[in-house]
Amino acid sequence: MKLLLLAALLGCLATVFAAPANSVKWCVKSSQEHLKCSALAAQAPGFSCVRRENSLECIIAIRADEADAITLDGGDIYTAGLNNYNLHPIIAEEYGSSSDTCYYAVAVAKKNTGFGFQDLRGKKSCHTGLGKSAGWNIPIGTLVAMNLIQWQGTDDQPVEEAVSEFFLKSCAPGATRGTKLCELCKGDCSRSHTEPYYGYDGAFQCLVDDAGEVAFVKHLTVPDSEKANYELLCKDNTRAPIDSYKTCNLARVPAHAVVTRKNPELAELIWTMLNSTLPQQGVNLFASEAYGAKNLMFKDSATRLVKLPPNTDSYLYLGAEYMSVVRSLKQDRVPSSVPTGIKWCAVGKTESDKCDMWSINSIENNVTSIECENAPSVEECLGKIMHSEADAMAVDGGQVFTAGKCGLVPAMVEQYDADSCGNSGATASSYYAVAVVKKGSGVTWENMQGKRSCHTGIGRTAGWNIPMGLIHKRTGDCDFTKFFSGSCAPGADPNSKLCAHCAGTGKPGGDEFKCKARAEEKYYGYAGAFRCLVEGAGDVAFIKHTTVLENSDGNSPSWAPGLQSADYELICPGGGSVPVSEYSRCHLAKVPAHAVVTRPEIRNKVIGILKKQQDQFGTGSDSFFKLFQSEGGKNLLFKDSTKCLQEVPSGENYEKFLGPEYMAAMNSLRTCGDTASDLEKICTFHSCQQNN
């Protein structure tokens, strides 16, 4: 004890004197945390402690440069990432091989108490804290989503009132004192260790003491010695043993993470301090018992800290599924039957021009159904959709894969067969990925190594994922710059061989767009990759089966008048070549059509608006604006061959949409680490936003 007091005294002195320029000021929320923090500070001169009353005050202190870092749970990470605070997660806790950088939110009850998750109305509840992930956001969001808690949104009543009406009594630390949500609490009902029932262990103790009948905690909360006396409540109203959390849980959520200001040097200093300086002093960051409480500064169940990828923000870290839960509890719940407009994301100026025309034409009764957002790339558009800065866009299969990894869902799919439009049971459209060469060039699938290649874009289905997946399977080499002598693969590193034959706009001063994955690069997309072949910049083009026919035989574009499809042929992976019309027997793969992706919580809204928009501007409409035609470019916003959009069945995720063959090809390609975009790398750092 004397040593602890001495450590505390030294820590206090450390906070009194000005911290060195290379110091880390840690924000703590209780006397117990301050005691532990001070002990750590005594071991490292550059480490000091700042005391605040709760997580929000710590977030404000970090924003104001009065503190530097704190470990927060998902609900508080969401708050820290809001524009007025602008903090971001840099380091995640890891909880061992069973959960990695995620944990399971579970509902726990005493054995033989005879009720299920769907029978919780009128029961007494124990929560880790208001706004916490496992203790509030996930269970309350689940109860609302299942319509067990009747709540129409903040315009009707605060969600806390609806919860108070649902449970008989509760302890939800952080709620308003004197309300039913604080009635079961043992202390002051604050979100701090001055409330004995605060946090995971506190909520479980609330259940142990029979104050409450259900505790909402994480899967590692119940001690091994107590597991036989408790059970998990599953969403299907069954029960399961405590260790069955993988199949009986409310959600899998991201681990607690260290947040700080957006300063790379500070982030690196914090990482070095926690991962090197303190451990070298023999400090165990994940032990709290000696300081009078549990889970101080870090979770005691953490096994190590893991650095997050650069540019990770709170939205990308938490994932679209978790974000939709948080938003559903903090904002008005708009009924899906009331389409109030969506924001469409366009890539580059050419697409933006078409989107603007769409927006103007969508105005009805002085209200626009379509607003336009703009980004330099598809990946940045997907990021905007995750951040709710945009709502939807149509992307190809490879980008559906990335979107799905980030928790977005396919809502509608392009249909290329007019006879299938209006038929709800029609087979979803697909197309063939093919390899095209000039007739008589002598280029074959077997001898194309060392030749020049034209690709629709990095990460695109027909232009990259399928052909490069097959090439990787053949060579086993992940360095794709070695296979071809030079390429145009828009979206690649501008300084690499993969961009050597790109052309930008092809006009003076147009080099700024060279190898960009947008319409301003004249060799981007299906028509662009074919143009790359036609103009002699490449020897083989990887495109879809209709591209040659769409740009020849009377459909010739301005850049190649009089183009004849007979001058081109398909090369077959099994050997030989055939006319471009014989794609059904000579192709690289049959792949799913392009799809509209969006956030899961607004899926129905997006579908409702798009159905109305295609009625007004789709194929066969007499409107001046045509949704599936492009002026000043090709395949803008949607593929020009689209006849209509069809709804993707409810509940169908990206894996089912893409199908097992495409998923196998993508998973094989992803064994090469550099094939994923930066966005996908962030989203797949942990798998919390993926299905269990």
Side-chain angles (χ1 to χ4, degrees), residues 41-102:
Q43 301 294 320
F47 196 80
S48 60
C49 313
V50 174
R51 173 75 186 272
R52 293 292 185 270
E53 291 305 309
N54 52 50
S55 296
L56 181 58
E57 287 192 17
C58 277
I59 289 169
I60 293 170
I62 295 170
R63 174 62 175 163
D65 203 13
E66 296 166 1
D68 294 322
I70 187 176
T71 307
L72 299 175
D73 99 314
D76 290 326
I77 292 171
Y78 169 85
T79 300
L82 296 174
N83 287 338
N84 46 330
Y85 306 121
N86 204 28
L87 307 185
H88 70 147
I90 57 168
I91 300 166
E93 293 181 345
E94 188 172 283
Y95 307 115
S97 58
S98 66
S99 55
D100 301 319
T101 55
C102 312

Side-chain angles (χ1 to χ4, degrees), residues 123-146:
K123 298 294 186 291
K124 295 179 292 183
S125 60
C126 306
H127 306 262
T128 60
L130 197 70
K132 293 283 193 178
S133 295
W136 185 266
N137 290 342
I138 296 300
I140 302 307
T142 302
L143 289 167
V144 168
M146 294 176 69

